[in-house]
Every structure is written in C-alpha cells, then in structure tokens.
C-alpha cells in the first residue's frame, strides 16, 4: 500500500564572539573572518527582500522549502519543496542576489506545475537532498518511499528523469515496507567521502546504509542498519542503539555520521559509521546528558524539535530546530563530550530566546539546512517561504593610496608590508599630500586603528582626516594612533597624509617610506599602504 506521506510539523549571546579564548576552542580561525553574535543573513531566495513572506511560485518564489543541497564542485544550489513536489536549482552564491530566479526544476515539467507523480520525472513530497563529490543529486522522495539519483545534476534541463532509485525496484512503484530494500517515510540523507549513502528511514526509526551507492542497482538492498538490531526489527527506543523518528543526517570529512533523532530531541554520533555492524551503539550524544534522556529543551545544551544537520568544512556541527526557530552550532563536534553545550547560534539573540519574525536574523519554524564549500550556512525558513544564507562576519580593511582620491593604488588586502601598494612622489622640499582611502570590505560595520610612521626623523609627517573640513588625527603621527569612527559595510573613510622634509634636509637629496596602516578594531586584521617620498631639490 502506498504511504500517504506528508511532511510532519509535529515538533513544533551568540556565544562565539571575538573573545575566542573564553571557550578555548581547539580549531584555528582564519584571519579576517569569524562567526559572531546574531549575524544577519547575507542573501535571501524565494522572497525579494528580508522582510517579505509572500506565498510564491514561478521561477523566483518558494512555497514551503524543506531542504538545501549544494554541489561542492559547481556551487549550484538545490532547494527541495515538499508541497510543490519538486527540486529547484539556482546558480552559485556569488552569482545571486536577493530574490534571484531559479534556473531549472526537477520533478515537474515546468515552474508552474506542482502535481504528485510516481515516475522517473516526478516526485511526491520530497523532503531532503544531498549532492555527492561527483555532482550527483540524491533526493529523498518521501511520498513515494524512495530515493532518486540524478547524475550531473548541475547541468540537467527541466524535468530530466532520475538515473537511479533506491527503496523501490522501479520508478513506478511507491510501496512502503520494513526490509533491507524498503523505506517507510524516509526523512533524511547524507553521503560520506567514500560514497556510502545514509538514509534515515523515519517511519521505521532506523538509518539504512548503502555501500558504494553510485554503483548500486535500482532497488538494491542496504548494506547495514543503525537504530535497529536487524532489517526486520521495528520499534522506537531511547537508548544508545535505538532511535525515535530520526530525520536529518550529516557526515563529516572523516565519515563520522550525525543522526538527528527528532523524537528523542537529540543528535547521535556514530564514528566511522560505514564500519559499524548492524545495530551498533552510538559513540556520542548531544541535546541530552546521556542516552536515556528524551526531554525537549530550548537551551544551549538542549533541542526542541531538531530537524536537520550539516557539518561545515571546519568540523562544526550545525543543527536546525523547528520549534525553537534557530540553528545551534557545535565547534569541533567530533571531540565533544555527551551533552555538551552549543557555542554558536543563528536566528536568535541568545540561547534563552524564542523570538520570531521576518527579518535578516529572525525566522519562523525551520526545516532543512545546507552548507557550501566556503562554510556558508543555508537555512530553509519553511514557514516564511524562503531560504536564508549566513556567512562569517568579515573584518577586512582594504587600504589604497594615491596623489588623488580618484586614482589610488592598492586593493591588496591583508598586505601588512605594503608591498605592491606604494605611491612614489618626487618633491623639491615642498609638502607632499597623499590621499589614503580605507574601505570596509567586510560584511559588518567596523572601525579602524589608524597608524602612520616614517622610516627616518628627517621628515615631518602628519595625518589629517577629511570630513568636510580637515581634522587633525594626531599631532605626533609618527608615534600615535587614531581610532576611526564606525565605517559601514561597503563604506570608506579618507585620510590626507602630509609629508615634508625638515630643516637642512629640505636642501638635500633624501627618500622616506611614509606609511599608513589601518587595523580592524574587531580582530586586528590590517592593511598598509606606503608613500615613497623622494626629495630632489
């Protein structure tokens, strides 16, 4: 009998700031970027802006998006829409703007059709998806109790047929069951670096493992089962080897599997999951202090209706919560103790809040979550019919220098030595003026410590800020520093650097490298430009 699957909605101080030492995190942070408190999303799909939640269709609208998968090679974005029985494909992040149009659709003949079918080109309430390292898209087609495979998905045309199926012997059958080759309301999917596919068989409270999935025949039997002792055992459990309605799955680069055990309000970790035997115990648990707990809790160490998970390139585990309307992040997840607290947070101001809203930082009940190769987090804000993209806050001063503000040199980020950012000027003992432009290339507002210095004491050096008139930054520019006012993302400030030969040196040939350095007030990331002044009387 065909299972009438409909996605269930039953489960109804961003702690990581610049003070990294507070938590003693073991991983390194790339200079100039880090996750910080309550970041705004940087992109929205499905809506024209961050404050709209219109019911959308066509090439720009989304209607109850459930999950996001990103091709690691092309960056193409696939969004699963359960109630539209389709998967829509968007261009890569760098090519998109708010409200961008999709470029292709799978599961439907066009962007205006939403029928449910059991064919190689159709779908019925798909729920989750993943793209493997070779660009193959795997879709959990829940209403048809199957998983579809689309080879080279980033280049497929509208309504392209699937190339493979698991859970059914062919593309026109949609029966449910309890065996090594059947599913009952599958709800999550992940793939490890070796090509082993993991499918959460939600209705049977288990995870099925398919070794070397790309070469598996249609309807192939699973190789292993987790959450049950064997392929014919049913039942739910709250212990180290049991599950209750598991949904989202995530694999890290080492093949460790994280299972979002939704019914038990927890996430289970299975180390080297493909090497486990049937029914093996989990190796770790988050959301509960031990394996016997199943209490819901909207805190830093508890979940309330967790739905999906991903592991980013730096080993952080991110878990989306439907009922708490947030995403919890766990740094260095593989080494965390049972019941460890999250140290990262998206979509709420702190771990005790349950705010909602249609903004760049607040969401409604959320479902799936995705991650790209740059570590950006994609969140299906299901109830508000959109997908939000979050990324690390960037603190990047980009400093340029020139004789005129209209013709600066530079654009060489993080170059503390000033190499390649020199402006050479000749003078005959007269004062030289150079304009220095400091741009905020980061994605949040920042301020900068301005420092200037010369290599000798033969020149008089002063720095002035141009703000309508001229304001002296420091009378002793060679030694002092100045903290600028806040510069908005994409904004800039201009400085006027004045250099003049002193005393007898005005009449002698001499050269000085007079530089200005701008350092981020948030994380110290800096950039320097040099004015090479040649006195040639």
């Amino acid at each position: 009998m065909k299972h009438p699957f409909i996605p269930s909605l039953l489960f109804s101080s961003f702690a990581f700031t610049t003070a990294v030492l507070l938590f003693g995190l073991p991983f390194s942070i790339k200079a100039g970027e880090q996750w910080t408190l309550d970041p705004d999303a940087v992109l929205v799909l499905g809506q024209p802006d961050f404050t709209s939640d219109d019911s959308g269709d066509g090439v720009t609208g989304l209607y109850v998006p459930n999950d996001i998968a990103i091709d690691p090679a092309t960056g193409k974005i696939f969004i699963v829409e359960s109630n539209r029985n389709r998967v829509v494909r968007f261009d890569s992040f760098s090519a998109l703007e708010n409200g961008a149009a999709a470029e292709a659709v799978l599961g439907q003949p066009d962007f205006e059709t939403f029928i449910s079918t059991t064919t190689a080109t159709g779908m019925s309430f798909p729920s989750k998806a993943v793209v493997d390292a070779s660009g193959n898209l795997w879709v959990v087609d829940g209403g048809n109790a199957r998983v579809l495979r689309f080879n080279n998905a980033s280049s497929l045309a509208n309504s392209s047929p699937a190339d493979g199926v698991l859970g059914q012997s062919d593309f026109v059958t949609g029966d449910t069951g309890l065996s090594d080759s059947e599913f009952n309301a599958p709800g999550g999917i992940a793939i490890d670096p070796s090509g082993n596919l993991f499918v959460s068989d939600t209705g049977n409270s288990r995870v099925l493992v398919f070794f070397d999935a790309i070469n598996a025949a249609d309807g192939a039997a699973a190789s292993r089962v987790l959450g049950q002792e064997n392929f014919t055992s049913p039942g739910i459990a709250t212990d180290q080897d049991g599950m209750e309605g598991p949904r989202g799955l995530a694999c890290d680069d080492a093949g460790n599997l994280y299972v979002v055990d939704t019914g038990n309000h927890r996430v289970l970790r299975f180390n080297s999951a493909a090497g486990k035997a049937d029914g093996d115990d989990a190796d770790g648990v988050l959301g509960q202090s031990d394996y016997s707990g199943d209490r819901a809790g909207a805190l830093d160490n508890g979940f309330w209706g967790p739905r999906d998970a991903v592991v980013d390139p730096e080993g952080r585990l991110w878990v989306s919560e439907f009922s708490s309307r947030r995403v919890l992040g766990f740094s260095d997840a593989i080494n965390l103790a049972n019941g460890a607290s999250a140290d990262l947070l998206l979509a709420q101001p702190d771990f005790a809040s349950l705010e909602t809203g249609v903004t760049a930082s607040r969401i409604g009940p959320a479902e799936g979550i995705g991650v790209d190769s740059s570590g950006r987090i994609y969140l299906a804000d299901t109830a508000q019919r959109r997908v939000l993209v979050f990324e690390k806050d960037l603190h990047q001063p980009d400093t340029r220098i020139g004789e005129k503000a209209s013709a600066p040199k530079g654009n060489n980020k993080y170059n503390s030595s000033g190499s390649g950012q020199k402006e050479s000027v000749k003078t005959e003992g007269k004062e030289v003026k150079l304009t220095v432009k400091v741009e905020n290339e980061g994605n949040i507002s920042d301020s900068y410590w301005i420092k200037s210095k010369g290599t000798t004491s033969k020149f008089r050096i002063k720095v002035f800020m141009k703000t309508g008139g001229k304001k002296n930054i420091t009378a002793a520019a060679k030694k002092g520093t100045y903290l600028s006012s806040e510069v908005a993302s994409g904004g800039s400030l201009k400085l006027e650097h004045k250099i003049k030969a002193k005393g007898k040196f005005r009449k002698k040939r001499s050269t000085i490298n007079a530089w200005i350095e701008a350092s981020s007030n948030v994380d110290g990331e800096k950039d320097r430009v040099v004015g090479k002044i040649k006195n040639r009387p």
Side-chain angles (χ1 to χ4, degrees):
M1 178 179 177
K2 188 171 180 179
H3 184 80
F5 176 80
I6 297 177
S8 172
L9 302 182
L10 294 176
F11 299 94
S12 47
S13 87
F14 201 75
F16 182 50
T17 67
T18 55
V20 178
L21 293 179
L22 179 63
F23 302 102
L25 302 183
F27 60 87
S28 61
I29 300 171
K30 183 179 177 182
E33 60 181 35
Q34 59 192 40
W35 289 104
T36 55
L37 176 63
D38 195 22
D40 286 344
V42 297
L43 179 70
V44 60
L45 298 175
Q47 301 292 341
D49 52 53
F50 293 110
T51 57
S52 299
D53 65 345
D54 301 325
S55 179
D57 291 317
V59 295
T60 59
L62 296 173
Y63 187 81
V64 193
N66 273 70
D67 196 28
I68 310 98
I70 297 94
D71 188 327
T74 66
K76 300 282 187 176
I77 301 164
F78 297 83
I79 298 178
V80 181
E81 289 193 87
S82 291
N83 286 26
R84 289 295 189 243
N85 304 300
R86 67 183 188 179
V87 175
V88 289
R89 188 182 73 223
F90 290 80
D91 208 340
S92 59
F93 173 84
S94 60
L96 298 177
E97 58 184 16
N98 291 345
E103 61 180 23
V105 60
L106 299 173
Q108 300 295 339
D110 52 53
F111 287 100
E112 306 300 329
T113 306
F114 315 120
I115 59 174
S116 170
T117 59
T118 308
T119 64
T121 58
M123 299 178 188
S124 177
F125 294 103
S127 58
K128 295 290 187 293
V130 69
V131 183
D132 64 26
S134 299
N136 305 305
L137 173 71
W138 302 80
V139 179
V140 177
D141 187 19
N144 287 319
R146 64 185 184 178
V147 170
L148 298 175
R149 188 189 78 245
F150 297 85
N151 296 349
N152 302 311
S154 288
S155 60
L156 292 180
N158 289 350
S159 196
S160 292
D163 296 283
V165 61
L166 296 173
Q168 305 293 343
S169 58
D170 53 48
F171 291 103
V172 294
T173 306
D175 298 332
T176 64
L178 176 64
S179 71
D180 59 0
S181 59
E182 296 175 296
F183 300 122
N184 180 13
I189 193 165
I191 194 161
D192 71 14
S194 298
N196 302 306
L197 189 74
F198 301 84
V199 181
S200 58
D201 189 12
T202 307
N204 288 322
S205 290
R206 64 183 184 174
V207 173
L208 296 183
V209 187
F210 297 84
F211 292 166
D212 189 25
I214 189 64
N215 293 313
D218 290 348
S223 310
R224 295 285 186 274
V225 61
L226 299 173
Q228 302 291 343
E229 293 299 319
N230 54 56
F231 290 107
T232 57
S233 297
I236 63 175
T238 306
D239 50 34
Q240 195 167 355
D241 61 357
M243 302 173 188
E244 181 180 352
R247 294 176 71 100
L249 301 175
C251 275
D252 64 18
D253 289 341
N256 305 304
L257 176 71
Y258 296 86
V259 179
V260 180
D261 188 14
T262 301
N264 286 319
H265 302 284
R266 65 184 184 178
V267 172
L268 298 175
R269 188 188 76 243
F270 294 85
N271 295 350
S272 302
K276 297 288 188 185
D278 291 346
D280 266 2
D281 287 347
D283 297 287
V285 61
L286 296 173
Q288 305 292 339
S289 59
D290 55 42
Y291 295 102
S292 63
D294 63 353
R295 183 177 180 180
L299 299 170
D300 59 352
N301 61 353
F303 297 120
W304 185 18
R307 289 302 179 89
D308 199 14
V310 292
V311 181
D312 72 17
E314 294 177 289
R316 301 179 186 87
L317 174 71
W318 300 86
V319 182
S320 63
E321 289 186 84
F322 185 88
S323 302
S324 297
R325 301 180 291 277
R326 66 180 186 175
V327 176
L328 293 182
F330 299 83
S331 299
D332 191 35
I334 187 62
N335 292 312
L336 293 180
N338 291 345
S341 295
D343 60 329
L344 307 173
L345 182 66
L346 302 178
Q348 293 292 342
D350 54 61
F351 292 106
S353 294
L354 294 174
E355 296 181 4
T356 190
V358 187
T359 71
S361 60
R362 298 293 175 266
I363 62 173
E367 279 277 350
I369 187 171
V371 64
D372 66 18
S373 58
S374 296
R376 298 183 190 91
I377 298 300
Y378 297 69
L379 179 62
D381 187 7
T382 306
Q384 292 173 166
R385 295 167 286 274
R386 63 183 186 170
V387 166
L388 297 177
V389 185
F390 297 86
E391 67 178 359
K392 292 179 181 179
D393 288 330
L394 307 180
H395 309 281
Q396 300 176 346
D398 187 8
T399 311
R400 295 186 284 173
I401 188 171
E403 291 188 77
K404 296 180 180 179
S406 60
K409 293 183 178 180
N411 263 4
N412 194 359
K413 298 172 188 173
Y414 315 139
N415 187 358
S416 60
S417 68
S419 174
Q421 300 187 85
K422 292 182 172 66
E423 177 71 3
S424 184
V425 180
K426 293 182 180 180
T427 181
E428 295 183 0
K430 297 179 180 180
E431 185 177 70
V432 172
K433 297 179 182 179
L434 292 173
T435 298
V436 177
K437 186 177 183 180
V438 181
E439 295 181 308
N440 181 358
E441 291 289 304
N443 58 14
I444 64 167
S445 297
D446 202 353
S447 55
Y448 304 98
W449 286 101
I450 308 300
K451 182 179 181 181
S452 67
K453 188 176 180 181
T455 56
T456 75
S457 60
K458 301 174 183 179
F459 285 70
R460 180 179 293 109
I461 306 168
K462 291 186 178 181
V463 182
F464 293 83
M465 180 170 59
K466 299 173 70 174
T467 55
K470 295 179 180 178
K471 179 181 178 183
N472 194 345
I473 291 180
T474 171
K478 289 188 296 181
K479 298 179 181 178
T481 57
Y482 167 80
L483 180 62
S484 78
S485 56
E486 192 170 76
V487 180
S489 173
S492 65
L493 61 91
K494 292 181 181 179
L495 312 172
E496 203 170 77
H497 204 185
K498 296 186 176 183
I499 305 98
K500 185 178 182 180
K502 294 195 300 183
K504 62 182 180 180
F505 295 103
R506 292 184 60 186
K507 300 179 180 179
K508 294 184 178 181
R509 291 173 63 88
S510 54
T511 301
I512 184 175
N513 289 333
W515 52 259
I516 286 184
E517 182 176 280
S519 300
S520 165
N521 187 40
V522 176
D523 66 357
E525 191 65 23
K526 64 185 179 180
D527 195 25
R528 181 187 296 180
V529 292
V530 175
K532 194 175 187 69
I533 314 303
K534 300 179 179 181
N535 189 36
R536 298 292 184 262

